[in-house]
Amino acid sequence: MSGGAAGRVSRRLLSSRPATSAPRHYDVAIAGGGAVGSVLARLLLDDASRSRPIRVALLERRPSPPTMSELGGTAAAPSARAYALSPASLSYIGPGPLRSLLRHNRCGVYDSMQVWEHDGPAQLHFVGDDLRRAIDEGRLADPREQLGGDADEGGKGPWLGAVVEDAPLVSALWEELREDERIDLLDNVQIKSIESPRHEDVGKLEPPSQVELSYTDVSSNEEDAITANLLVAADGANSFVRRTVGGFPMMTKSYGRKAVTCTVEISSGMNATAFQRFLPHGPIALLPVWGDGGDGGVRYANVVWSTTASEADHLRSLPPDEFIRALNHHLREGPNVNPPIFPGAGNLPPVLGTVAREVDSLLRTANTALTMGTWTESPARNFFRMPPESVRVVGP
């Protein structure tokens, strides 16, 4: 076994329990070791309010994810399967995984955001310092405070958010979970059956009935079982737990939109800024990712283009060079200038024409100031920043 693989072996339970003994018991069993299940496991273990240590089992049908060191050299470009996480969401990740993501350059932090419309002068600018009051009052967590001595790795001011790929996020979380003896990581297993309390008995039994899961190790075909006080379904949209246990009501509503996502190479850095423009059918966003450093190397960004289903299908059918032209056409166009309020002022008598032009200028300036946010405490920050040019599509 290689040293890298040995560093990420999960604690396995198969064949370590006599066939006649009772299944191992846990306080919580989580089906699904992706981003959601892994974050939940970390939060459960991090809860300092518990009167006794908690025991958690995390079951994942895929093999154990690679370590961050193993993952570091495997990606030629950032993946479009990523999350734009708010400061509150980043705080749930925890200081250890967040620090690992930053040290391995797999986290695209942004501390400013520019939003503008397609057919008018309106634009909005947000910066991390806009969150300062909420942070000082304790209403919002500042992820940088979790980093302690490594806070400078994420910039100097509060973050508005960060773009994190799915695979590095899960790897960073599992690295921390592997070091905790209160959790058993059961990877590469397939849940075969679930025995749960009857729906009519839920909430009526004291103590509550346990849930029993039987599962098979995919690599060895060995079977085992565990019990838990609580079973959490974090195994995706096509959840085996939901389909097996039943009784989980679902309500869906289509809003007639589809998102086209991809990773693009860009011509210059994004200066830790997220860009979003509202088009007639939905917004288009250009988000900074880990390739946005200033080291002279190739720079990348993630694209999220929300539009109608028909236009999304059209965009996906375009050759890469045509898609890039369409992307640059919509993103590299600034806010429009309001048309004259008195377009015929030049045909009026001199005195009336002068008055009309002055009123027109005053009203247009006031309207632009109100819509573009120039009447703020920091008007110098409200100039329009042209997003970098997209050069080519490098990943779906």
Side-chain angles (χ1 to χ4, degrees):
M1 181 178 293
S2 67
R8 57 181 173 94
V9 171
S10 302
R11 285 182 293 279
R12 305 311 304 243
L13 304 182
L14 295 167
S15 302
S16 61
R17 176 176 62 86
T20 56
S21 64
R24 292 170 187 80
H25 182 70
Y26 298 88
D27 296 290
V28 181
I30 303 173
V36 174
S38 300
V39 168
L40 174 60
R42 198 206 71 80
L43 291 173
L44 289 171
L45 298 173
D46 194 47
D47 187 354
S49 66
R50 301 187 179 278
S51 58
R52 64 173 180 82
I54 191 174
R55 291 288 299 166
V56 178
L58 184 64
L59 299 92
E60 170 57 39
R61 61 179 178 82
R62 296 169 295 186
S64 174
T67 65
M68 288 297 293
S69 297
E70 292 172 329
L71 197 64
T74 60
S79 169
R81 188 183 182 192
Y83 311 101
L85 300 177
S86 68
S89 296
L90 287 168
S91 67
Y92 295 145
I93 295 175
L98 187 56
R99 186 178 295 111
S100 181
L101 289 166
L102 287 169
R103 286 180 173 175
H104 288 88
N105 192 27
R106 303 304 293 263
C107 186
V109 173
Y110 53 93
D111 55 20
S112 65
M113 178 180 290
Q114 175 177 282
V115 184
W116 71 106
E117 62 180 353
H118 75 284
D119 61 351
Q123 61 174 310
L124 297 172
H125 295 259
F126 304 96
V127 296
D129 281 333
D130 293 334
L131 307 177
R132 179 68 67 185
R133 181 174 179 180
I135 293 172
D136 292 343
E137 294 176 353
R139 294 184 286 110
L140 181 67
D142 183 1
R144 296 181 69 256
E145 294 182 356
Q146 300 183 15
L147 300 176
D150 296 322
D152 289 340
E153 293 188 32
K156 299 184 180 302
W159 302 349
L160 281 179
V163 177
V164 183
E165 300 162 274
D166 178 78
L169 174 59
V170 174
S171 287
L173 289 163
W174 273 62
E175 272 193 344
E176 181 172 87
L177 295 175
R178 289 188 187 102
E179 302 301 319
D180 199 312
E181 294 296 328
R182 296 170 296 171
I183 185 171
D184 286 319
L185 303 172
L186 310 178
D187 67 294
N188 207 26
V189 299
Q190 182 71 46
I191 300 176
K192 306 302 290 185
S193 66
I194 302 173
E195 295 183 15
S196 60
R198 298 183 306 169
H199 292 295
E200 54 267 29
D201 293 335
V202 173
K204 299 178 182 178
L205 302 179
E206 187 65 36
S209 297
Q210 299 175 357
V211 179
E212 181 170 337
L213 292 82
S214 65
Y215 60 90
T216 301
D217 183 284
V218 175
S219 59
S220 66
N221 260 348
E222 295 185 62
E223 296 185 359
D224 207 340
I226 62 172
T227 60
N229 293 335
L230 175 66
L231 171 61
V232 178
D235 50 342
N238 192 30
S239 169
F240 176 83
V241 174
R242 175 174 55 81
R243 289 185 286 112
T244 303
V245 176
F248 291 91
M250 291 182 60
M251 183 175 65
T252 61
K253 180 178 176 60
S254 174
Y255 51 92
R257 292 295 181 269
K258 183 186 290 187
V260 176
T261 61
C262 63
T263 302
V264 296
E265 179 185 338
I266 53 179
S267 60
S268 59
M270 297 183 65
N271 297 317
T273 301
F275 297 93
Q276 185 178 50
R277 187 183 188 196
F278 279 83
L279 303 177
H281 294 152
I284 179 173
L286 191 70
L287 304 173
V289 290
W290 55 260
D292 189 36
D295 55 1
V298 179
R299 296 178 171 89
Y300 302 102
N302 277 356
V303 174
V304 182
W305 193 334
S306 299
T307 183
T308 61
S310 59
E311 185 178 10
D313 292 340
H314 170 69
L315 291 171
R316 294 181 62 186
S317 70
L318 293 176
D321 57 339
E322 291 187 23
F323 177 84
I324 287 294
R325 282 196 292 270
L327 179 66
N328 285 325
H329 170 72
H330 288 294
L331 272 178
R332 292 179 57 79
E333 183 178 284
N336 295 327
V337 178
N338 279 329
I341 298 175
F342 300 109
N347 299 324
L348 296 174
V351 175
L352 293 178
T354 300
V355 172
R357 284 191 293 271
E358 291 297 326
V359 172
D360 181 277
S361 176
L362 176 63
L363 293 176
R364 290 177 63 192
T365 300
N367 178 62
T368 300
L370 289 172
T371 58
M372 296 177 65
T374 53
W375 291 353
T376 68
E377 295 180 358
S378 303
R381 84 181 192 204
N382 292 301
F383 62 90
F384 179 80
R385 299 177 182 176
M386 184 63 70
E389 182 180 10
S390 297
V391 178
R392 63 186 180 97
V393 177
V394 297

